[in-house]
Amino acid sequence: MSDQSTAPGSAERAAAALRRLPSPMVIMAIAVGGVMFALTVAKGVQDPDYFWHLTTGKLIAETGRVPSVDPFSFTWLGQPWTPHEWLSELLVFRLVDGLGRIGALLVFGLFAPAIFGVLAAAFARQGARVLAVALPFALGAFTLIPYVTLRPQAISWLMLAGLVWFLLEAGADHPRRFLLLIPWFAVWANLHGLYVVGLGVVGMYLLFTLAGRTAMSPARNWVVAGVFGAIGASLLTPAGPIGILYPLRYVEGGDWGLANIQEWQSPNFHEPAHFAFLALIVAVGLNGGRSTPGWLVALSWVGIAMGLAALRNVPVAVVLSMPTLVLGLEARLRERSERKPSKPMSPSRALGRRWIELAAAVAIAVGSIAVLVPRDMNASIDSNLAKRFPIDGVDRLLELAPDANVLAEYGWGGYVIWRIHDVGGHVFIDGRNDMYSQRVLEDYSAIRAADPGWEELAEQYGVEAILLSPETTLTRGPAAAAGWCEVLRDEREVLSLRSCP
């Protein structure tokens, strides 16, 4: 009699304890998020655009306004420039100014985990089981790893994930909620130019709604109002209405960008670094849109097409494809469980299993941070910068000609801006290739390659210093032969001035 009375009580206590523990979906998000956080932080500061983003944020903070013309180069100085990510740049500066570069890196390290956390919450609301989410998450994480770093794009990836969650949750029973798109895009349009992709997402949803293929079809008027309201909100930027056209240049890199910038090029599936994206494409193809809303299937292929066009769009493909994979896999698992029902697990056994899962997730997250994140992060960042950027060359430049017009490597332009802008120096070009004309970009390449007529071009643009790698044609003789004074040469950089100091 006693055993019979205590068994139900024990089961109730186990069930109550189970409810207090994180759900399996949360536990999985902890594991994936910990790994992604560790990988992002371990990379340190390596994105060359980070430096001009930081300098722009500082300029906005100091002047109290968003620049509308270029202040950093001497080839485009005073000509129109639309900082479509000004709010992110101000955020980066405030973080670095207030928390230091390590603090800023730690904050941006949370964006990739947040992407998976948002999507995990969305899938939990859809009733997906953990196994259906775990496999697409693993594939998505492997694909996303090369792209996570301290850069404003990470904010847009999170905004895109939040938008997908919002559209999955949208229903005709609460149609007015669709108007929340308006403040969402008002913020996003000032954070990063990828909001134009978000507008494309809601535009696709609108088309399927008008065709009667979404849960909002019975309340289509609210969808129309929300989408057009979002477009209107996207005009609320410092650039005004014309600003909505500028980010379209983000989607297409131009001839020079396609030829010279890796992130604007298509993936090479002969390289192991791109195998994960190839696997993602194959998985979406094999899924075949099973049990997935048509608008989401269409968007997953649009994202893949964007990733195939330019590597920098691969994260967009990841965010748009994972929901399709999860919903398709969940449908297959549900059919399997209906054919072969499993016995329900007792509360006490489920409690023990949950504790093991939680311990494993925490171990993975903490272990990843312990193994991947350097103990001395400042030393690691400094070492990484020394390997990637011309620190000695800029130091020497600041001694001899701090306000010079510098033709530097494209990937060094942002770093040089960060170092010399405050003392009056300017660069030929930098990572804002979408701002420069094709003529300027092509002339840069002609000078760097010492093509016939390069001396006249350098004179025409007013180049006063050349800071290039030793492997470039110009630094292997032509500059010196033309009378340029070489003041520094090492294994990383060569600095030449128009006249010797």
Side-chain angles (χ1 to χ4, degrees), residues 353-494:
R353 180 174 176 174
R354 185 74 57 84
W355 274 114
I356 293 173
E357 292 169 345
L358 180 59
V362 172
I364 291 171
V366 174
S368 298
I369 294 171
V371 171
L372 296 174
V373 177
R375 293 180 181 236
D376 189 340
M377 291 182 60
N378 270 316
S380 176
I381 291 174
D382 289 337
S383 175
N384 190 34
L385 294 180
K387 294 175 183 177
R388 293 175 175 271
F389 300 102
I391 295 178
D392 293 339
V394 177
D395 286 344
R396 187 72 171 141
L397 182 66
L398 288 171
E399 293 175 7
L400 302 175
D403 59 349
N405 291 336
V406 186
L407 185 145
E409 293 284 359
Y410 172 82
W412 294 349
Y415 177 80
V416 177
I417 286 173
W418 177 55
R419 296 287 306 276
I420 71 173
H421 173 69
D422 286 347
V423 293
H426 295 85
V427 298
F428 196 107
I429 62 170
D430 59 278
R432 300 168 297 157
N433 75 292
D434 52 348
M435 177 191 73
Y436 296 102
S437 69
Q438 288 292 306
R439 171 72 180 277
V440 169
L441 296 170
E442 291 167 359
D443 286 346
Y444 161 80
S445 293
I447 297 173
R448 185 176 181 274
D451 288 345
W454 74 267
E455 296 174 67
E456 290 77 11
L457 281 175
E459 179 73 26
Q460 173 186 332
Y461 280 106
V463 178
E464 298 170 337
I466 296 172
L467 183 59
L468 299 172
S469 69
E471 292 79 20
T472 57
T473 303
L474 188 60
T475 59
R476 290 185 294 179
W484 286 75
C485 181
E486 187 174 296
V487 295
L488 182 145
R489 176 182 287 268
D490 59 27
E491 70 281 357
R492 186 171 299 103
E493 70 248 273
V494 177

Side-chain angles (χ1 to χ4, degrees), residues 260-437:
N260 295 277
I261 306 174
Q262 184 180 11
E263 68 174 8
W264 284 113
Q265 297 170 358
S266 297
N268 179 359
F269 292 123
H270 295 288
E271 296 182 4
H274 303 155
F275 285 174
F277 182 42
L278 178 60
L280 182 74
I281 297 172
V282 172
V284 173
L286 292 175
N287 181 68
R290 186 184 182 97
S291 299
T292 305
W295 62 270
L296 197 51
V297 176
L299 285 172
S300 65
W301 285 111
V302 169
I304 287 171
M306 291 178 61
L308 290 172
L311 284 167
R312 68 181 297 158
N313 296 324
V314 168
V316 173
V318 172
V319 174
L320 294 178
S321 295
M322 282 194 293
T324 298
L325 295 177
V326 169
L327 296 177
L329 186 55
E330 170 61 25
R332 288 171 170 82
L333 293 175
R334 187 182 299 114
E335 291 176 2
R336 181 180 177 182
S337 63
E338 289 173 355
R339 291 195 304 267
K340 297 180 179 179
S342 57
K343 295 181 180 179
M345 188 179 299
S346 67
S348 59
R349 186 178 176 186
L351 178 62
R353 180 174 176 174
R354 185 74 57 84
W355 274 114
I356 293 173
E357 292 169 345
L358 180 59
V362 172
I364 291 171
V366 174
S368 298
I369 294 171
V371 171
L372 296 174
V373 177
R375 293 180 181 236
D376 189 340
M377 291 182 60
N378 270 316
S380 176
I381 291 174
D382 289 337
S383 175
N384 190 34
L385 294 180
K387 294 175 183 177
R388 293 175 175 271
F389 300 102
I391 295 178
D392 293 339
V394 177
D395 286 344
R396 187 72 171 141
L397 182 66
L398 288 171
E399 293 175 7
L400 302 175
D403 59 349
N405 291 336
V406 186
L407 185 145
E409 293 284 359
Y410 172 82
W412 294 349
Y415 177 80
V416 177
I417 286 173
W418 177 55
R419 296 287 306 276
I420 71 173
H421 173 69
D422 286 347
V423 293
H426 295 85
V427 298
F428 196 107
I429 62 170
D430 59 278
R432 300 168 297 157
N433 75 292
D434 52 348
M435 177 191 73
Y436 296 102
S437 69

Side-chain angles (χ1 to χ4, degrees), residues 53-63 89-90 93 418 422:
H53 287 312
L54 177 61
T55 309
T56 302
K58 179 182 178 183
L59 183 64
I60 294 171
E62 291 177 345
T63 63
E89 290 161 342
L90 182 60
F93 171 71
W418 177 55
D422 286 347

Side-chain angles (χ1 to χ4, degrees), residues 62-86:
E62 291 177 345
T63 63
R65 61 183 180 84
V66 179
S68 58
V69 296
D70 173 37
F72 299 137
S73 78
F74 60 90
T75 57
W76 204 254
L77 187 66
Q79 298 193 60
W81 173 42
T82 304
H84 56 80
E85 47 206 358
W86 71 270

